[in-house]
Amino acid sequence: MSSQHDCCSHMTRFLHDEAEAKTPWLISKYVQAHVARCTPCRKTLESLRRLLTGLKEFRQTPIPDDAKDRLMNGKWRGALTDDADTKGN
Amino acid sequence: MASLATNANSALTTAMVVDKSNFEAVIARELPVLYRVALRLCLNPTVAEDVVGLTLVRAVGAWDRFDGQYERSWLLTILRREYLAHIRRASSSELSLDSFTQDGVEIPSGDTNATDKIDLERALAALDDIDRTLIILSDIEEMGAKEISEITGIYPATVRTRIFRARQRLRRILLSFGENL
């Protein structure tokens, strides 16, 4: 990628969809055929796949146990109790 | 008559108990997502916890009005509102990259994979608010365009295009870090 691999402008959406594995079968075949002969688009697709793989790993970020405890027992719980008491009366 | 009133009161109490347990169950289920999104948005675990805490208070207050569908989108909409309110209040220094790398993540040394991950964290942090939100919701949380539209208020037809552009900017930032993308 020169700076962004300068992929073909008409391929942008297809490349993003393909990187997300969201392209229908026929369009996927078209994208594969295109990237086989177009280096900038191939590099863009590879780059997008690496990027999305890296980003997906962030889903593994756990919530720390102490933060979880504080949040599960936070002010909202009092508001819930107050609300129930008000309605109950 | 008294019996009718007692029965009605009893039914109301039962309904409230159900609501309460539902809310708790929803929060228990969605808390990891809320925290993860808040952390990436706020770039600081302490601030993220505050924003999630405020989100839960607002959510419990609005629980009666919630239609019961798409709880994640509903909670994330509130969270995003709380986050925007926070950045209006906060000084810009609180949202700097330095605070993120000092408090947000621990940087291990000598681990290429970890270094890549840190670069990606930093690049994500360097995006503007809306681009970062789009990447978080789309590429980390894997939410659909419709849900993202509801959360961000971006017109549904333009969500995908905005995501593509956000990714382009993210890649540009990574390149500026010398990442071999």
Side-chain angles (χ1 to χ4, degrees):
Chain A
M1 116 179 149
S2 47
S3 66
Q4 286 294 296
H5 292 148
D6 298 319
C7 71
C8 305
S9 59
H10 72 283
M11 291 298 293
T12 305
R13 175 174 287 265
F14 292 149
L15 293 173
H16 282 264
D17 287 347
E18 181 72 10
E20 290 178 67
K22 282 183 180 170
T23 38
W25 180 83
L26 191 60
I27 294 176
S28 180
K29 289 290 170 197
Y30 168 70
V31 172
Q32 286 166 28
H34 180 91
V35 299
R37 60 185 162 75
C38 177
T39 304
C41 283
R42 186 172 61 250
K43 286 185 176 174
T44 299
L45 180 59
E46 288 165 359
S47 158
L48 281 169
R49 281 182 173 148
R50 276 198 297 275
L51 181 68
L52 294 179
T53 301
L55 288 167
K56 276 190 185 72
E57 285 177 14
F58 288 155
R59 279 197 89 164
Q60 308 305 319
T61 307
I63 176 168
D65 287 341
D66 54 343
K68 187 177 178 180
D69 287 346
R70 282 191 297 272
L71 287 167
M72 282 307 292
N73 295 293
K75 286 178 185 168
W76 65 269
R77 198 171 278 281
L80 196 65
T81 310
D82 292 348
D83 194 38
D85 288 347
T86 308
K87 284 177 185 169
N89 296 331
Chain B
M1 191 70 176
S3 161
L4 193 64
T6 309
N7 286 345
N9 204 20
S10 166
L12 188 62
T13 309
T14 308
M16 280 183 305
V17 170
V18 171
D19 275 351
K20 179 177 175 176
S21 67
N22 276 352
F23 186 81
E24 286 187 18
V26 167
I27 295 311
R29 189 166 58 241
E30 299 299 332
L31 196 59
V33 177
L34 294 176
Y35 182 82
R36 210 160 51 216
V37 171
L39 184 61
R40 302 278 168 226
L41 281 175
C42 302
L43 314 174
N44 178 306
T46 309
V47 178
E49 192 176 325
D50 284 349
V51 168
V52 174
L54 285 168
T55 300
L56 299 182
V57 171
R58 300 272 185 246
V60 75
W63 185 240
D64 287 348
R65 299 189 297 280
F66 173 49
D67 65 6
Q69 291 186 312
Y70 309 115
E71 61 224 22
R72 184 169 295 175
S73 301
W74 179 70
L75 287 166
L76 286 173
T77 304
I78 299 172
L79 185 139
R80 179 165 157 76
R81 229 176 275 146
E82 287 305 318
Y83 163 68
L84 292 175
H86 163 75
I87 55 175
R88 278 195 294 271
R89 289 190 301 264
S91 65
S92 57
S93 62
E94 199 176 359
L95 295 170
S96 71
L97 277 178
D98 288 345
S99 71
F100 181 57
T101 52
Q102 282 165 16
D103 303 334
V105 289
E106 197 176 309
I107 302 179
S109 58
D111 181 341
T112 311
N113 201 24
T115 309
D116 289 348
K117 203 170 171 183
I118 296 304
D119 278 348
L120 192 50
E121 294 257 18
R122 286 174 60 84
L124 193 58
L127 284 175
D128 68 20
D129 163 63
I130 189 63
D131 281 352
R132 191 161 68 243
T133 303
L134 289 168
I135 295 286
I136 292 167
L137 298 179
S138 166
D139 297 342
I140 300 178
E141 300 304 331
E142 298 182 305
M143 300 184 86
K146 187 172 177 288
E147 289 170 295
I148 295 172
S149 168
E150 280 173 15
I151 295 165
T152 58
I154 294 173
Y155 190 60
T158 62
V159 165
R160 292 285 293 163
T161 309
R162 297 282 295 267
I163 291 167
F164 299 161
R165 288 185 190 149
R167 283 182 195 151
Q168 296 290 88
R169 283 189 271 271
L170 185 60
R171 289 168 60 212
R172 226 173 274 144
I173 294 167
L174 280 165
L175 280 168
S176 75
F177 291 165
E179 274 288 312
N180 182 26
L181 266 177

